[in-house]
Amino acid sequence: SYNGWRYVSVVPYRFVMTKVDYIRKIIWSVTLITLLAGMAMAYFLANSNVKPLRKIIEMLRDSLGAETGKSGNEDDYLQGTISSLISNNRDLLNKMEEQIPLLRAAFFKRLFKGIFNDMNEIRTMLSHIGLDIKGERFIVLILRINGYEDMINREILKELDMSRVIVKEVLTRNYGEGVYSYYDLDENRIAVMMIFDTANGMDCRNSIDS
């Protein structure tokens, strides 16, 4: 400022960029190390999370005898296996539901014939077939459809089947919960168990006569 001169300083490009290159290398190194560490951690965590799933798949393959190729998608295999198990379980439940009427018929057959040994056995069977019978008095009636003696043939059997259905519908419509069970003794006889809320024998008798 005192002599009016202009001073120019010339610095080589590499000298200036040396620190820039150093910082750039540090940044790239840190980025690369972070990326590799992140990938390793992600692989470790993914492998840890998948390990139980692979054990389940192996267990399913061992128990179900299912085999897939090396290129098979484990997710698709697991999804298909679970869907198959759900479908089989649903079919099993449906078959069990279909068996309930047969089990109940067998129960009432044993009950009417006095085969049970004690009340504990009866309660156990009731719980097994999903029934809860409560009442003060229970009466078993045997209804006979007359007029078909010594006339059994295919058409008569169909007519008797229809007659038994009509009898059951009439009783159910008129007595509702009072009629608890029906058991076909043979082609023209039906055993009916009726439940009464009163222990008064005369009231029960009058209801039966009615």
Side-chain angles (χ1 to χ4, degrees):
S1 60
Y2 62 88
N3 58 14
W5 288 10
R6 177 178 295 178
Y7 296 86
V8 179
S9 175
V10 179
V11 182
Y13 174 80
R14 296 304 309 168
F15 180 80
V16 176
M17 295 301 294
T18 298
K19 291 186 176 180
V20 176
D21 291 339
Y22 175 72
I23 295 173
R24 183 182 299 167
K25 289 179 181 179
I26 292 178
I27 292 175
W28 278 109
S29 298
V30 171
T31 302
L32 183 61
I33 292 173
T34 304
L35 181 62
L36 292 176
M39 291 176 63
M41 184 65 68
Y43 176 79
F44 174 76
L45 294 176
N47 193 46
S48 299
N49 291 330
V50 169
K51 188 176 294 184
L53 187 62
R54 287 177 177 170
K55 289 183 178 179
I56 294 175
I57 292 176
E58 290 300 324
M59 184 174 62
L60 289 174
R61 285 174 175 167
D62 292 340
S63 60
L64 300 178
E67 296 182 356
T68 56
K70 294 182 179 180
S71 60
N73 190 320
E74 292 183 343
D75 291 337
D76 293 340
Y77 169 77
L78 186 60
Q79 182 178 359
T81 303
I82 292 176
S83 299
S84 178
L85 289 174
I86 292 174
S87 178
N88 293 337
N89 185 61
R90 188 182 296 113
D91 292 340
L92 180 61
L93 291 176
N94 290 335
K95 290 179 180 179
M96 291 177 62
E97 289 290 333
E98 293 173 358
Q99 293 298 316
I100 288 180
L102 300 178
L103 294 175
R104 291 183 178 179
F107 167 78
F108 285 112
K109 178 181 179 180
R110 296 179 62 189
L111 182 67
F112 293 162
K113 290 187 176 183
I115 298 177
F116 289 110
N117 297 316
D118 51 39
M119 283 301 299
N120 288 331
E121 188 177 359
I122 293 176
R123 292 191 184 98
T124 301
M125 285 299 301
L126 284 173
S127 176
H128 177 62
I129 61 179
L131 291 181
D132 184 19
I133 302 177
K134 294 180 180 180
E136 294 295 328
R137 179 164 293 201
F138 306 90
I139 296 177
V140 177
L141 309 176
I142 296 180
L143 306 182
R144 180 188 298 274
I145 303 174
N146 294 323
Y148 294 95
E149 291 76 6
D150 301 327
M151 298 173 55
I152 300 301
N153 57 50
R154 187 172 182 179
E155 295 300 323
I156 293 298
L157 290 175
K158 288 183 179 180
E159 189 171 341
L160 283 170
D161 290 342
M162 186 178 300
S163 298
R164 288 199 304 273
V165 171
I166 294 173
V167 169
K168 294 173 184 178
E169 287 183 352
V170 170
L171 287 174
T172 302
R173 185 167 59 249
N174 286 276
Y175 290 94
E177 296 181 356
V179 178
Y180 204 88
S181 71
Y182 303 98
Y183 176 69
D184 295 334
L185 296 175
D186 50 36
E187 293 81 7
N188 62 339
R189 289 190 307 161
I190 307 171
V192 181
M193 187 176 77
M194 301 188 70
I195 301 177
F196 295 93
D197 294 330
T198 176
N200 188 301
M202 186 58 65
D203 291 343
C204 296
R205 171 67 64 182
N206 292 335
S207 178
I208 293 171
D209 291 341
S210 173

